[in-house]
Amino acid sequence: MPAKDTIGCSTCCLMDQTLEEALSLISRHTGLAEILSDGPHSLFHEEETCHSFDLRYTVHAPVADINIASDNEHLRRATVRVLADLTEICDRLGVERLVVHPGHLWGEEVRCAAERALNRSLGDLAAIQEEANVQLAVENMGAWDICFFREPDFLDRLADFGLGFALDVGHAHVNGSLEPFLEQGRAIHVHLHDNSGERDEHMACGEGEIDFCRVMQAIPRDATKVVEPVSFQQYERSLEYLRSVAP
């Protein structure tokens, strides 16, 4: 097995370990790690750890307690502040992509307010990106009614703000929208994992129903690619499988 692969691994599957332990394990297999900056791997506490490894980094913004589509303006502004501060850390680390979730709403009665809040946040993120060397990439969501950005029509919105697109292959497959996303070809970052098409299972690539031969041919060659598994063993199985179908 090569010491360094071009397909990275997310630390999300190693949250039971310290960030140092997680990066040490990942660095034996690949030159690219995606840090889920949450819990024990929060870069607000663990920034210095990253300097100990010869790795390229992408970062996934926190998923707990933040919402860029919050109709509560105080919470929305707090979320944007967290992302601005995280972007500064990413700049210092030379991070290539910062992945952000598109937000959610708590009920249909606030959808219009949440849409307006989301637009304000996208504008704020665009302004943050202008001052940084890291590209911000907004991730498509799975089959959760409360979430924004489940279909490709949202891509034009991102383009209007000059923000990048992070394609989550598993999320798109669950929504039946993977092929339209691939046809658009706009992803600057890709999350790779598999499922049966019914729920977001985060299986190893090749263990579900996704046509990864098609995926690997269609995604832009300059997009950063990261496996987002449930366990590190799934990452290892995914690497072996993806090498067998790579164009």
Side-chain angles (χ1 to χ4, degrees):
M1 177 183 292
K4 301 287 184 180
D5 202 279
T6 58
I7 299 174
C9 180
S10 170
T11 66
C12 67
C13 65
L14 295 164
M15 298 297 277
D16 60 334
Q17 301 187 29
T18 67
L19 182 58
E20 182 176 11
E21 291 168 340
L23 295 180
S24 178
L25 183 57
I26 289 172
S27 67
R28 297 171 198 166
H29 294 75
T30 178
L32 174 64
E34 177 156 302
I35 299 171
L36 173 55
S37 182
D38 223 337
H41 296 175
S42 171
L43 290 177
F44 292 108
H45 307 295
E46 294 290 338
E47 177 181 353
E48 290 305 313
T49 300
C50 302
H51 294 290
S52 302
F53 296 90
D54 183 21
L55 285 165
R56 297 163 52 210
Y57 293 113
T58 60
V59 169
H60 197 305
V63 296
D65 301 326
I66 69 171
N67 179 12
I68 67 171
S70 176
D71 63 308
N72 182 319
E73 184 64 8
H74 294 289
L75 295 179
R76 189 196 71 81
R77 287 179 178 271
T79 290
V80 170
R81 183 70 259 168
V82 168
L83 295 175
D85 291 346
L86 183 58
T87 300
E88 292 181 4
I89 294 174
C90 289
D91 251 354
R92 293 195 292 269
L93 292 173
V95 169
E96 298 177 43
R97 312 277 193 264
L98 171 58
V99 180
V100 179
H101 279 186
H104 55 275
L105 64 157
W106 57 264
E108 283 301 315
E109 58 269 37
V110 299
R111 180 172 290 277
C112 290
E115 287 274 10
R116 292 192 296 270
L118 176 55
N119 275 341
R120 292 196 297 276
S121 292
L122 293 177
D124 291 338
L125 294 181
I128 291 169
Q129 182 176 249
E130 286 183 3
E131 301 298 320
N133 292 315
V134 59
Q135 289 184 285
L136 273 63
V138 181
E139 178 182 352
N140 62 297
M141 292 286 95
W144 307 287
D145 291 340
I146 65 170
C147 291
F148 289 104
F149 190 17
R150 296 168 57 198
E151 301 297 333
D153 56 3
F154 195 88
L155 291 173
D156 290 339
R157 214 159 153 189
L158 292 181
D160 288 342
F161 285 99
L163 294 168
F165 165 42
L167 170 62
D168 188 294
V169 171
H171 292 171
H173 184 61
V174 166
N175 283 327
S177 57
L178 179 54
E179 187 57 33
F181 273 123
L182 293 176
E183 289 175 357
Q184 293 275 353
R186 301 191 202 176
I188 65 170
H189 185 68
V190 182
H191 284 159
L192 300 164
H193 53 93
D194 213 340
N195 61 62
S196 62
E198 297 182 0
R199 60 189 179 89
D200 189 27
E201 297 165 287
H202 284 259
M203 295 176 176
C205 299
E207 295 183 356
E209 297 181 353
I210 295 176
D211 181 357
F212 278 97
C213 184
R214 164 65 177 148
V215 169
M216 300 307 286
Q217 289 175 346
I219 57 178
R221 291 193 176 276
D222 59 350
T224 41
K225 295 174 281 293
V226 170
V227 177
E228 199 176 48
V230 172
S231 71
F232 193 75
Q233 290 72 28
Q234 287 176 315
Y235 171 68
E236 294 175 308
R237 295 200 300 273
S238 294
L239 269 190
E240 183 177 357
Y241 176 76
L242 291 172
R243 289 193 195 108
S244 72
V245 300

